[in-house]
Amino acid sequence: MTSQAKVAPAVRGDLFDPACPTRRLLDRIGTKWTSMAVKVLARAAPGEVRFAELLRRMPGVSQKMLSATLRSLVRDGLAERRVEPSVPPAVYYRLTPLGLSLDTVLAAVRDWAEEHMAEVDRANSLHDRPERSAE
């Protein structure tokens, strides 16, 4: 007789519930560094990308911020980490199927931002005009 572990049914979060972990998850996946890392890793899928290569492909990210971002992706089951025992150790990352599904959503948001950035910049300029602050 085989024993199967019982899996709890999936529970959908509620963004408007202050105690819901959905808010913390959105905080993690909604950062520019997460979006950039997921994009780089998705382009390499199903392959892996070394830490140093991620650092090179993500201009402006610090080593510390990239480490924290990747640690979060791994912890959330969105990416996997593999260490090759060498001197120095080679560390590789790749997206899981869950991480690849996130890339689809983030790609739509990235595309929207790139397409509408000029409009948003114009709105910001109009809003921040000195004569507006006198109102």
Side-chain angles (χ1 to χ4, degrees):
M1 177 186 240
T2 61
S3 157
Q4 292 183 346
K6 291 190 178 187
V7 178
V11 177
R12 184 174 175 86
D14 177 3
L15 176 64
F16 294 98
D17 176 357
C20 183
T22 301
R23 291 180 176 206
R24 289 190 306 276
L25 179 58
L26 285 172
D27 282 344
R28 290 192 304 274
I29 64 174
T31 71
K32 65 183 173 188
W33 302 125
T34 295
S35 185
M36 291 170 86
V38 167
K39 182 176 183 174
V40 172
L41 292 170
R43 283 183 175 172
E48 301 173 313
V49 181
R50 284 186 70 169
F51 180 89
E53 183 64 15
L54 280 161
L55 196 59
R56 187 183 69 72
R57 291 190 197 177
M58 295 172 58
V61 70
S62 68
Q63 190 169 352
K64 181 179 179 179
M65 181 54 68
L66 180 57
S67 288
T69 299
L70 292 168
R71 195 174 317 115
S72 179
L73 289 172
V74 169
R75 183 174 186 263
D76 290 338
L78 301 170
E80 293 177 344
R81 179 179 187 264
R82 182 176 67 84
V83 179
E84 197 171 273
S86 58
V87 179
V91 183
Y92 296 87
Y93 292 88
R94 72 176 189 87
L95 290 180
T96 63
L98 185 61
L100 283 169
S101 73
L102 175 62
D103 180 57
T104 303
V105 177
L106 290 179
V109 173
R110 289 188 303 260
D111 289 345
W112 182 91
E114 290 172 354
E115 184 176 331
H116 296 285
M117 195 61 244
E119 294 169 71
V120 172
D121 278 345
R122 277 193 301 279
N124 279 224
S125 293
L126 288 171
H127 185 271
D128 296 342
R129 287 190 322 218
E131 59 271 12
R132 176 157 165 62
S133 61
E135 293 175 2

